[in-house]
Amino acid sequence: MSVQERLKEVIQSNEVVLFMKGSPDFPQCGFSGRTAQILKACDVKFASVDVLADDAVRNGIKEYSNWPTVPQLYVRGEFIGGCDIMTELYESNELKKILQPAQS
Amino acid sequence: MRIQTAIEAKLGALQPQFLQVENQSHRHNVPPGAESHFKVIVVSRQFNEKTLLARHRMVNQILADELSTAVHALALHAMTPDEWSDKNEASAEIAESPPCLGGSVAENAARKK
């Protein structure tokens, strides 16, 4: 399976998935850490992928959505954005709406 | 050309009403003088009627060369003139970029492998 196929499978088989550097409990980048905190604050269950663990994934995810940076959030297969977009959507309460059906 | 200068020049394509490019690399785990982490505030009419995602994509496209090479992180605040004046009137602070947690080191180590 190619990297792009693997990424597609992860993104489509998880309702909410965050590609980040490190893990939600041990983020290795401030932007990644902030996005994981936002999802926790939204009380949503989410999968996370540590892109530092696999170089092919780190490069592949940038191609997947033609988005040059990590973190990246996907909800029900759709690319939502990176840290700045998530922060703005969270502050305007829109992120909760986007996440709603996935709320635990 | 310095990367900061290049970013400022290229974003001129958006005919910004306000543009601020700040090199925040010194706050991160990179060598002195590095130009790897930037914060950009750009206010442009061209963002009118565009979603946040679309605005970010416009900027990513303009800065594709920089983002695929030297620039590691870009904190981006892309606003329309109306949003910008609302923010100023409310004297709201533009969100601070998060602190570094050292990921660049692991990433550069992975690149060298």
Side-chain angles (χ1 to χ4, degrees), chain B residues 7 9 19 26 29 40 72 74 79 88 94 99 104 112:
Chain B
I7 292 176
L19 174 65
H26 61 278
N29 208 338
V40 170
H72 174 90
L74 186 74
M79 285 171 275
N88 275 349
I94 298 288
S104 316
K112 278 176 198 149

PDB file of all heavy atoms in Angstrom, chain B residues 7 9 19 26 29 40 72 74 79 88 94 99 104 112:
ATOM      1  N   ILE B   7       9.305  37.112   1.809  1.00  0.00           N
ATOM      2  CA  ILE B   7       7.907  36.900   2.211  1.00  0.00           C
ATOM      3  C   ILE B   7       7.133  38.209   2.089  1.00  0.00           C
ATOM      4  O   ILE B   7       6.029  38.255   1.529  1.00  0.00           O
ATOM      5  CB  ILE B   7       7.832  36.354   3.663  1.00  0.00           C
ATOM      6  CG1 ILE B   7       8.404  34.932   3.719  1.00  0.00           C
ATOM      7  CG2 ILE B   7       6.399  36.373   4.185  1.00  0.00           C
ATOM      8  CD1 ILE B   7       8.469  34.350   5.133  1.00  0.00           C
ATOM      9  N   ALA B   9       7.807  40.795   0.231  1.00  0.00           N
ATOM     10  CA  ALA B   9       7.670  41.206  -1.167  1.00  0.00           C
ATOM     11  C   ALA B   9       6.593  40.385  -1.866  1.00  0.00           C
ATOM     12  O   ALA B   9       5.726  40.912  -2.560  1.00  0.00           O
ATOM     13  CB  ALA B   9       9.014  41.055  -1.883  1.00  0.00           C
ATOM     14  N   LEU B  19       0.234  44.656   6.523  1.00  0.00           N
ATOM     15  CA  LEU B  19       1.057  43.445   6.445  1.00  0.00           C
ATOM     16  C   LEU B  19       2.142  43.520   7.508  1.00  0.00           C
ATOM     17  O   LEU B  19       2.860  44.516   7.609  1.00  0.00           O
ATOM     18  CB  LEU B  19       1.704  43.326   5.053  1.00  0.00           C
ATOM     19  CG  LEU B  19       2.715  42.173   4.874  1.00  0.00           C
ATOM     20  CD1 LEU B  19       2.031  40.819   4.997  1.00  0.00           C
ATOM     21  CD2 LEU B  19       3.424  42.284   3.525  1.00  0.00           C
ATOM     22  N   HIS B  26      13.850  32.982  16.783  1.00  0.00           N
ATOM     23  CA  HIS B  26      14.672  32.996  17.998  1.00  0.00           C
ATOM     24  C   HIS B  26      13.953  32.306  19.160  1.00  0.00           C
ATOM     25  O   HIS B  26      14.580  31.914  20.127  1.00  0.00           O
ATOM     26  CB  HIS B  26      15.007  34.440  18.377  1.00  0.00           C
ATOM     27  CG  HIS B  26      13.799  35.269  18.674  1.00  0.00           C
ATOM     28  ND1 HIS B  26      13.042  35.856  17.683  1.00  0.00           N
ATOM     29  CD2 HIS B  26      13.181  35.577  19.838  1.00  0.00           C
ATOM     30  CE1 HIS B  26      12.022  36.503  18.236  1.00  0.00           C
ATOM     31  NE2 HIS B  26      12.079  36.345  19.537  1.00  0.00           N
ATOM     32  N   ASN B  29      13.953  26.182  18.641  1.00  0.00           N
ATOM     33  CA  ASN B  29      15.192  25.456  18.834  1.00  0.00           C
ATOM     34  C   ASN B  29      15.986  25.369  17.526  1.00  0.00           C
ATOM     35  O   ASN B  29      16.171  24.291  16.976  1.00  0.00           O
ATOM     36  CB  ASN B  29      14.827  24.050  19.327  1.00  0.00           C
ATOM     37  CG  ASN B  29      15.917  23.469  20.169  1.00  0.00           C
ATOM     38  OD1 ASN B  29      17.071  23.887  20.065  1.00  0.00           O
ATOM     39  ND2 ASN B  29      15.581  22.503  21.006  1.00  0.00           N
ATOM     40  N   VAL B  40       2.676  35.941  10.473  1.00  0.00           N
ATOM     41  CA  VAL B  40       2.248  36.897   9.460  1.00  0.00           C
ATOM     42  C   VAL B  40       0.828  37.379   9.778  1.00  0.00           C
ATOM     43  O   VAL B  40      -0.066  36.567  10.020  1.00  0.00           O
ATOM     44  CB  VAL B  40       2.271  36.252   8.054  1.00  0.00           C
ATOM     45  CG1 VAL B  40       1.607  37.166   7.031  1.00  0.00           C
ATOM     46  CG2 VAL B  40       3.707  35.943   7.622  1.00  0.00           C
ATOM     47  N   HIS B  72       9.646  26.667   8.264  1.00  0.00           N
ATOM     48  CA  HIS B  72       9.213  25.463   8.958  1.00  0.00           C
ATOM     49  C   HIS B  72       7.826  25.673   9.550  1.00  0.00           C
ATOM     50  O   HIS B  72       7.024  24.752   9.640  1.00  0.00           O
ATOM     51  CB  HIS B  72      10.257  25.211  10.055  1.00  0.00           C
ATOM     52  CG  HIS B  72       9.953  24.120  10.981  1.00  0.00           C
ATOM     53  ND1 HIS B  72      10.365  22.827  10.746  1.00  0.00           N
ATOM     54  CD2 HIS B  72       9.286  24.097  12.155  1.00  0.00           C
ATOM     55  CE1 HIS B  72       9.957  22.074  11.750  1.00  0.00           C
ATOM     56  NE2 HIS B  72       9.304  22.815  12.615  1.00  0.00           N
ATOM     57  N   LEU B  74       4.536  28.716   9.886  1.00  0.00           N
ATOM     58  CA  LEU B  74       3.985  30.013   9.520  1.00  0.00           C
ATOM     59  C   LEU B  74       2.678  30.187  10.281  1.00  0.00           C
ATOM     60  O   LEU B  74       1.699  29.506  10.000  1.00  0.00           O
ATOM     61  CB  LEU B  74       3.722  30.046   8.006  1.00  0.00           C
ATOM     62  CG  LEU B  74       3.277  31.377   7.424  1.00  0.00           C
ATOM     63  CD1 LEU B  74       4.444  32.345   7.361  1.00  0.00           C
ATOM     64  CD2 LEU B  74       2.715  31.174   6.023  1.00  0.00           C
ATOM     65  N   MET B  79      -6.954  38.341   7.396  1.00  0.00           N
ATOM     66  CA  MET B  79      -8.226  39.016   7.675  1.00  0.00           C
ATOM     67  C   MET B  79      -8.660  39.936   6.550  1.00  0.00           C
ATOM     68  O   MET B  79      -7.828  40.472   5.813  1.00  0.00           O
ATOM     69  CB  MET B  79      -8.084  39.851   8.959  1.00  0.00           C
ATOM     70  CG  MET B  79      -8.086  39.018  10.223  1.00  0.00           C
ATOM     71  SD  MET B  79      -7.668  40.027  11.643  1.00  0.00           S
ATOM     72  CE  MET B  79      -5.889  39.954  11.536  1.00  0.00           C
ATOM     73  N   ASN B  88      -9.494  45.673  15.798  1.00  0.00           N
ATOM     74  CA  ASN B  88      -8.842  46.837  16.386  1.00  0.00           C
ATOM     75  C   ASN B  88      -9.777  47.594  17.314  1.00  0.00           C
ATOM     76  O   ASN B  88      -9.370  48.050  18.365  1.00  0.00           O
ATOM     77  CB  ASN B  88      -8.336  47.771  15.283  1.00  0.00           C
ATOM     78  CG  ASN B  88      -6.978  47.332  14.798  1.00  0.00           C
ATOM     79  OD1 ASN B  88      -6.347  46.474  15.418  1.00  0.00           O
ATOM     80  ND2 ASN B  88      -6.526  47.902  13.702  1.00  0.00           N
ATOM     81  N   ILE B  94      -4.063  39.842  18.786  1.00  0.00           N
ATOM     82  CA  ILE B  94      -3.896  38.740  17.852  1.00  0.00           C
ATOM     83  C   ILE B  94      -3.253  37.595  18.632  1.00  0.00           C
ATOM     84  O   ILE B  94      -2.320  37.811  19.390  1.00  0.00           O
ATOM     85  CB  ILE B  94      -2.977  39.155  16.690  1.00  0.00           C
ATOM     86  CG1 ILE B  94      -3.592  40.304  15.908  1.00  0.00           C
ATOM     87  CG2 ILE B  94      -2.676  37.972  15.789  1.00  0.00           C
ATOM     88  CD1 ILE B  94      -4.778  39.955  15.070  1.00  0.00           C
ATOM     89  N   PRO B  99       4.509  28.387  22.241  1.00  0.00           N
ATOM     90  CA  PRO B  99       5.943  28.228  22.468  1.00  0.00           C
ATOM     91  C   PRO B  99       6.472  26.976  21.774  1.00  0.00           C
ATOM     92  O   PRO B  99       5.717  26.074  21.451  1.00  0.00           O
ATOM     93  CB  PRO B  99       6.049  28.063  23.983  1.00  0.00           C
ATOM     94  CG  PRO B  99       4.736  27.495  24.388  1.00  0.00           C
ATOM     95  CD  PRO B  99       3.726  28.062  23.435  1.00  0.00           C
ATOM     96  N   SER B 104      11.630  20.633  16.174  1.00  0.00           N
ATOM     97  CA  SER B 104      12.532  20.844  15.034  1.00  0.00           C
ATOM     98  C   SER B 104      13.771  19.984  15.142  1.00  0.00           C
ATOM     99  O   SER B 104      14.332  19.551  14.145  1.00  0.00           O
ATOM    100  CB  SER B 104      12.975  22.297  14.960  1.00  0.00           C
ATOM    101  OG  SER B 104      11.905  23.161  15.164  1.00  0.00           O
ATOM    102  N   LYS B 112      18.384  14.031   8.468  1.00  0.00           N
ATOM    103  CA  LYS B 112      19.788  13.705   8.213  1.00  0.00           C
ATOM    104  C   LYS B 112      20.000  12.219   8.023  1.00  0.00           C
ATOM    105  O   LYS B 112      20.999  11.794   7.486  1.00  0.00           O
ATOM    106  CB  LYS B 112      20.655  14.226   9.362  1.00  0.00           C
ATOM    107  CG  LYS B 112      20.975  15.704   9.201  1.00  0.00           C
ATOM    108  CD  LYS B 112      21.757  16.245  10.381  1.00  0.00           C
ATOM    109  CE  LYS B 112      21.681  17.761  10.434  1.00  0.00           C
ATOM    110  NZ  LYS B 112      21.742  18.258  11.786  1.00  0.00           N
TER     111      LYS B 112
END
